[in-house]
Amino acid sequence: MTVALGIHCGHESSCAVVRDGVLLAAIQQERVTRRKYDGQEALTDRLPVREVLAAAGLTLDDVDVIVSSFQAAGPSGVGLQRPLLSASFSLFDPFDPRHHVVSHHLAHAASAVYPSGFPAAAVLVSDSAGTTSRDGKDFYVPFEEFFRTYYSDVSAPAVRTEMRSLYAFRHGRFELLERAFSQPHNQPDVFVQSEASLYDNVARFLFRKEHAHGQLMALAALDSDRPARLTADDIVTPGSPPHLHNGWQLLEAAADLTQNVDIARATQEAFNRLIVAHAARAVDLSGLADLCCAGGVFLNLSGNSAIHELPQVRNLYVPSCPHDAGISTGAAYLGWARTEPTPPAGAAKVTCDFLGRAAEPVTAHQAEGHGYTVTATPDTDLNRAAAGVLLDGAVMVRYAGRAEFGPRALGNRSILCHPVACQDAKSKLNSIKKRQPWRPVAPMVRTEDLHTYFTGPDEAPFMNYDFMVREEYRAVLKEIVHDDGSARVQTVTPDDNPAIHEILTHIAAAGQIPVLVNTSFNGPAQPIIESADDALDFARNPEIAFLLAEDGLFRSPPPGKTPVRRSAATAMAAFGSGADTRYVLSNGEAQVPIGRDLFVALLEQEAVLTDSTAADVVACLRAGVLTRA
């Protein structure tokens, strides 16, 4: 029996545990520290090592091999403010003989191949930047060797940073078929050299922030009758294989994001052309029809769907966490595989992403203390009761079971409603999430009902594809239909998601369409909810009527007033002037925007009586910048 611990050091740091080829647990660091996208380049005690081992029911003494990946390390370029390990790191001895280091793209490849269940597969890895090394090759070496190599003194060291890799996985081994390396450039946020940099650069340009790829993807699918300022042919050559252009970037974005649909659409089409060509090449070079994909670009549902339609691709597998947080799972899988006497030809297929920590209990006493009332208890049929309130048109949050590992909520940490019974479902969910009204919401459907309402792949347990809503259902399911007729579907089975499947079955038995609307249980710039107190605070939002936990179905408190005060360490700040003034509370750990009325009241009074369900008050209480008086 082999237990492997995988660690990703970089942005979106994470840890994972594999035992004998079975992925037992995986946790992103942000879910523990409560800082969205949290990560660092070094081994530190912030890594969720203890938490992931606890979720797997293990301790460090049970671990046979530890495999880390250091995203930002460069030969002769570590130390000073970029060490490989912090001086206070105490979770384990990094020079322990069990500890190895794996290169970035090899770990990405493993994160997709082993959970695919394919005994042999073509592999495509694509992201903005992977490992930087002198020879550009993959490696899996003891930490001591990696430490010595990357701290060594080399005069004029030439380095290469991987950008795209094509592999063949056969007989338990990865064969690198082709690799592209990034080109150094002093303006990397303008110059485009890959599908990853294209999408990232345009997203940053239009939305003026990082992590806006999902918004760009949604914007690209909106209707627009404006003349196009940019087309895909301006960005890539129309032939095969397509080649990227530069020189088209002299653009001016409109303040109204919906006036930039042409730019988003051209970017998406160009991205699809590029990623489809690379997928086809991976299949052609390997001679293998089953394809696995990993890297941040495969969070793009439109691109994944285009790959799925390739005639030479028999089966496509994209893991739940294809971006860098998923590196830890690949590292753990490789740790297991490298200790086996014979390299294993794959592992069991993974279609369930509930790999995180279990939800905390939500007792009736605790809920009542937050103003909730008990509607149903575990000795009744909770899922039948939940189906009933959803069919009554309520918005309900579900906080139960183990948390999802990947970035998408799949039912255990979800905000849910019924697309027909709930009036203005999309508007309500987008209001709760404080996001643009044109952003789509995702439908959940039983696998056996999938092709009744949608066309597309046969399964989508991780919400990795765009589907088209069948024409005859677009009117009745209008809340989940995007402008282009698409929907981001998640399929549900009784094995992978028994509670949601049962709720959908009760809805079907009531003669209603067995589809739910789903969005993640978190607010802006907040990781998915992990604690019972956070769940109870969040569900006080006036648009949310019920909270479903393993301990009961609870009705949210009615709107009311609650006294709050500033925490001792909280500072107040105002930026700008006039109608554009922004008001902020900050305690050094968190910065929360608030309304003018609350800001002025807090200036004038020690304690303020305010709306207990106001979104900014809930956010302030959750962040600790306000406390209940």
Side-chain angles (χ1 to χ4, degrees):
M1 181 178 293
T2 300
V3 174
L5 169 65
I7 298 172
H8 164 58
C9 294
H11 54 259
E12 298 164 322
S13 293
S14 64
C15 295
V17 177
V18 167
R19 181 174 62 196
D20 289 344
V22 177
L23 182 58
L24 297 181
I27 298 176
Q28 293 191 48
Q29 183 172 299
E30 65 167 30
R31 308 293 174 83
V32 177
T33 62
R34 308 308 301 156
R35 295 181 180 181
K36 189 70 172 171
Y37 310 117
D38 195 23
Q40 64 284 316
E41 300 168 4
L43 292 170
T44 78
D45 286 357
R46 293 167 58 80
L47 288 161
V49 170
R50 296 188 184 93
E51 290 81 2
V52 79
L53 288 169
L58 302 169
T59 69
L60 195 60
D61 290 338
D62 299 311
V63 174
D64 299 292
V65 59
I66 304 169
V67 184
S68 297
S69 182
F70 296 87
Q71 180 184 24
S76 305
V78 292
L80 300 179
Q81 72 271 29
R82 295 182 182 273
L84 290 179
L85 61 150
S86 69
S88 60
F89 181 65
S90 63
L91 297 177
F92 59 87
D93 178 3
F95 295 95
D96 186 316
R98 295 178 296 174
H99 190 199
H100 291 70
V101 178
V102 64
S103 52
H104 193 83
H105 276 198
L106 180 56
H108 260 318
S111 76
V113 164
Y114 288 110
S116 73
F118 300 150
V123 187
L124 171 60
V125 176
S126 176
D127 58 13
S128 294
T131 290
T132 298
S133 62
R134 294 193 180 98
D135 59 11
K137 296 179 180 179
D138 292 323
F139 57 79
Y140 178 96
V141 297
F143 177 82
E144 184 175 7
E145 178 182 335
F146 178 79
F147 184 90
R148 185 175 61 251
T149 300
Y150 272 63
Y151 272 105
S152 63
D153 177 24
V154 177
S155 58
V159 295
R160 311 180 83 182
T161 300
E162 56 194 10
M163 181 177 72
R164 186 186 312 108
S165 299
L166 281 59
Y167 295 89
F169 178 76
R170 296 185 182 91
H171 311 298
R173 300 183 185 280
F174 290 91
E175 176 191 359
L176 180 62
L177 304 174
E178 186 174 279
R179 174 161 286 161
F181 299 94
S182 63
Q183 306 171 46
H185 200 282
N186 70 318
Q187 296 292 352
D189 56 346
V190 177
F191 179 76
V192 296
Q193 55 184 303
S194 70
E195 56 279 3
S197 65
L198 166 65
Y199 217 82
D200 192 49
N201 290 357
V202 175
R204 289 171 188 249
F205 168 65
L206 291 182
F207 295 93
R208 303 298 176 181
K209 63 180 181 180
E210 293 187 66
H211 308 294
H213 311 95
Q215 296 178 60
L216 179 60
M217 186 167 54
L219 187 64
L222 292 182
D223 286 334
S224 175
D225 55 6
R226 289 169 57 90
R229 295 164 290 174
L230 184 71
T231 69
D233 288 347
D234 296 325
I235 303 172
V236 294
T237 58
S240 182
H243 296 286
L244 271 167
H245 295 303
N246 280 284
W248 51 267
Q249 291 96 324
L250 190 61
L251 297 168
E252 193 168 318
D256 179 356
L257 288 169
T258 60
Q259 301 303 307
N260 298 316
V261 170
D262 56 334
I263 298 175
R265 186 177 295 161
T267 302
Q268 183 66 62
E269 184 180 338
F271 173 91
N272 286 4
R273 288 186 196 175
L274 291 165
I275 205 67
V276 163
H278 298 315
R281 182 160 178 78
V283 170
D284 292 343
L285 285 178
S286 66
L288 299 167
D290 294 333
L291 175 66
C292 297
C293 296
V297 303
F298 298 104
L299 287 171
N300 190 296
L301 279 65
S302 178
N304 294 346
S305 299
I307 294 172
H308 182 270
E309 294 302 313
L310 278 171
Q312 58 265 59
V313 173
R314 179 173 57 200
N315 295 296
L316 173 63
Y317 186 85
V318 179
S320 67
C321 203
H323 64 313
D324 281 354
I327 285 284
S328 61
T329 66
Y333 273 119
L334 283 167
W336 158 70
R338 293 295 180 105
T339 59
E340 294 294 294
T342 302
K349 185 176 180 178
V350 175
T351 56
C352 177
D353 191 45
F354 302 128
L355 300 166
R357 295 182 292 179
E360 296 174 352
V362 181
T363 65
H365 178 74
Q366 182 184 16
E368 289 167 349
H370 281 73
Y372 289 74
T373 56
V374 180
T375 301
T377 57
D379 57 355
T380 62
D381 190 336
L382 282 178
N383 292 329
R384 183 186 296 275
V389 301
L390 290 166
L391 288 178
D392 285 340
V395 176
M396 180 188 81
V397 299
R398 184 166 187 269
Y399 171 75
R402 293 179 66 180
E404 296 86 346
F405 169 52
R408 295 179 176 128
L410 303 173
N412 282 6
R413 303 289 186 276
S414 288
I415 307 173
L416 304 167
C417 64
H418 190 265
V420 180
C422 182
Q423 188 174 5
D424 298 324
K426 184 172 81 168
S427 176
K428 287 180 179 177
L429 267 57
N430 281 335
S431 172
I432 292 168
K433 301 278 289 184
K434 291 189 174 180
R435 61 190 183 190
Q436 302 97 330
W438 44 263
R439 296 277 293 277
V441 288
M444 309 171 85
V445 63
R446 297 181 300 181
T447 301
E448 58 266 36
D449 299 320
L450 172 63
H451 291 305
T452 299
Y453 305 103
F454 308 98
T455 61
D458 290 333
E459 63 175 8
F462 305 137
M463 207 188 298
N464 277 338
Y465 301 104
D466 273 338
F467 287 72
M468 297 305 292
V469 182
R470 290 191 180 277
E471 191 70 42
E472 61 267 34
Y473 286 104
R474 290 187 184 180
V476 69
L477 292 176
K478 64 182 188 302
E479 295 298 320
I480 55 95
V481 183
H482 208 28
D483 277 14
D484 62 352
S486 68
R488 301 174 178 186
V489 176
Q490 176 199 346
T491 54
V492 175
T493 71
D495 293 330
D496 295 334
N497 208 329
I500 296 297
H501 190 275
E502 187 176 334
I503 291 172
L504 287 166
T505 299
H506 286 308
I507 290 173
Q512 302 301 314
I513 293 178
V515 173
L516 288 176
V517 185
N518 171 32
T519 191
S520 57
F521 189 14
N522 62 314
Q526 178 189 31
I528 288 175
I529 295 291
E530 287 278 344
S531 75
D533 281 337
D534 282 352
L536 289 163
D537 278 343
F538 191 102
R540 296 171 69 95
N541 185 296
E543 295 285 10
I544 298 172
F546 291 91
L547 184 151
L548 177 62
E550 292 176 350
D551 312 275
L553 179 64
F554 307 98
R555 183 184 292 275
S556 302
K561 298 292 184 179
T562 187
V564 296
R565 70 172 75 242
R566 276 191 293 157
S567 302
T570 297
M572 304 174 64
F575 302 94
S577 61
D580 295 328
T581 305
R582 294 186 298 110
Y583 302 94
V584 172
L585 296 182
S586 174
N587 62 3
E589 294 289 328
Q591 183 171 295
V592 183
I594 62 172
R596 180 183 182 278
D597 290 346
L598 178 58
F599 186 88
V600 172
L602 288 167
L603 281 176
E604 296 176 346
Q605 306 168 50
E606 180 182 352
V608 175
L609 197 65
T610 189
D611 182 354
S612 61
T613 58
D616 55 356
V617 173
V618 171
C620 288
L621 289 169
R622 189 164 51 240
V625 297
L626 289 180
T627 61
R628 289 185 174 89

